Amino acid sequence: MSDTVLLYIILGFAACQNEPSHRVYLKQIQRVQADPQRWTLCREISDLTLQHDCILSAVPLIAESNIKQASRICQRLSHQRAECFFQLAEISQQSIFCDYTESFQLDCKLHLLSKGLQQGKSAAALMKELQLPPDTPKAWTAIYRYQLHQQKPLDLSWCQSQSFPDVCTLAAIGTYEDRLNRARDRYGYPCNNTQAPSSLAYVENPQIQMLIQQREDQCP
């Protein structure tokens, strides 16, 4: 082999070694998405954050058929470990994975709570299953918002009969603000269309009237 050919081989090898991490990341993540069991290819990415992001992309795909393997992969991560376990909790609906989400434990359990409510499970059973204290305000906010979401017209006075009326009232106001946002985006209410859609029906209440007035005051 001539010295020139040898030089080209050495230069080519060096170029491969110095390939920017983001290019390797894009290449490997495509391979991993096609076959998540090849997640170890992500280790070829020198940037640790990108490497773990690549591995994280494989976890939900692996978890669909092998939750234990996905859990072992999450354990290996030093970056995005909490997010990895959060995804496992969401996919499996097993709150045990929330215990590994660090500062996001409550958020993780609240996410499972909301998902369980949507599936028709009782609030009391979910609170017990998720080991949430019965007076957790954020949990009750999620419960009330789910229940209020189904109310048409929205009735804030309903909250006075609930266990935590103040929490419920705030949840009701948040629910109506969401409805106002959707009415603005879909129908141009109240600035471009003064006719309120049926989704904004409510039992007369000064707090809701104030919300509507505030939106009208923002119109050009």
Side-chain angles (χ1 to χ4, degrees):
M1 182 182 297
S2 68
D3 290 343
T4 302
V5 172
L6 181 60
L7 177 61
Y8 278 128
I9 292 174
I10 293 171
L11 289 174
F13 178 76
C16 290
Q17 291 293 97
N18 294 327
E19 186 176 3
S21 288
H22 69 275
R23 290 184 184 175
V24 180
Y25 169 81
L26 291 173
K27 184 190 301 180
Q28 303 300 45
I29 202 168
Q30 287 177 348
R31 293 172 176 170
V32 168
Q33 289 294 297
D35 181 2
Q37 291 297 340
R38 300 181 71 194
W39 65 270
T40 53
L41 290 171
C42 297
R43 292 173 175 168
E44 297 178 14
I45 303 167
S46 58
D47 182 281
L48 195 59
T49 300
L50 291 178
Q51 180 188 129
H52 287 194
D53 187 71
C54 176
I55 294 171
L56 185 63
S57 73
V59 169
L61 301 173
I62 293 171
E64 290 176 1
S65 58
N66 193 333
I67 196 73
K68 289 184 177 180
Q69 181 190 8
S71 177
R72 288 194 296 270
I73 293 171
C74 287
Q75 289 281 13
R76 295 171 179 263
L77 300 179
S78 56
H79 294 266
Q80 304 186 64
R81 180 183 296 165
E83 182 180 350
C84 191
F85 278 110
F86 199 120
Q87 288 191 19
L88 288 192
E90 181 179 21
I91 293 166
S92 67
Q93 295 186 59
Q94 296 179 28
S95 61
I96 189 172
F97 292 119
C98 292
D99 295 341
Y100 302 97
T101 57
E102 300 169 8
S103 60
F104 300 104
Q105 283 190 39
L106 179 57
D107 289 336
C108 180
K109 290 186 176 184
L110 292 176
H111 186 73
L112 295 185
L113 173 64
S114 295
K115 203 165 185 178
L117 290 169
Q118 291 166 15
Q119 293 169 345
K121 297 179 181 179
S122 75
L126 286 166
M127 293 280 281
K128 184 177 181 180
E129 178 187 329
L130 297 170
Q131 297 182 337
L132 287 166
D135 58 348
T136 305
K138 287 187 176 181
W140 281 105
T141 297
I143 292 167
Y144 289 139
R145 289 201 67 151
Y146 173 75
Q147 294 171 336
L148 289 160
H149 178 72
Q150 302 171 71
Q151 263 194 25
K152 289 180 185 177
L154 189 67
D155 184 5
L156 262 69
S157 66
W158 174 80
C159 287
Q160 300 310 309
S161 63
Q162 302 306 306
S163 302
F164 303 95
D166 291 343
V167 175
C168 179
T169 299
L170 288 175
I173 291 171
T175 297
Y176 199 79
E177 286 182 327
D178 289 345
R179 293 182 185 183
L180 281 169
N181 289 339
R182 286 194 292 272
R184 176 199 62 205
D185 297 341
R186 294 180 184 177
Y187 309 109
Y189 178 84
C191 297
N192 300 325
N193 182 359
T194 57
Q195 182 64 43
S198 60
S199 60
L200 291 181
Y202 66 95
V203 175
E204 191 168 342
N205 181 280
Q207 289 176 281
I208 290 184
Q209 290 168 340
M210 185 181 297
L211 289 176
I212 295 171
Q213 185 62 53
Q214 288 172 347
R215 294 300 177 102
E216 292 175 348
D217 291 344
Q218 292 171 7
C219 294

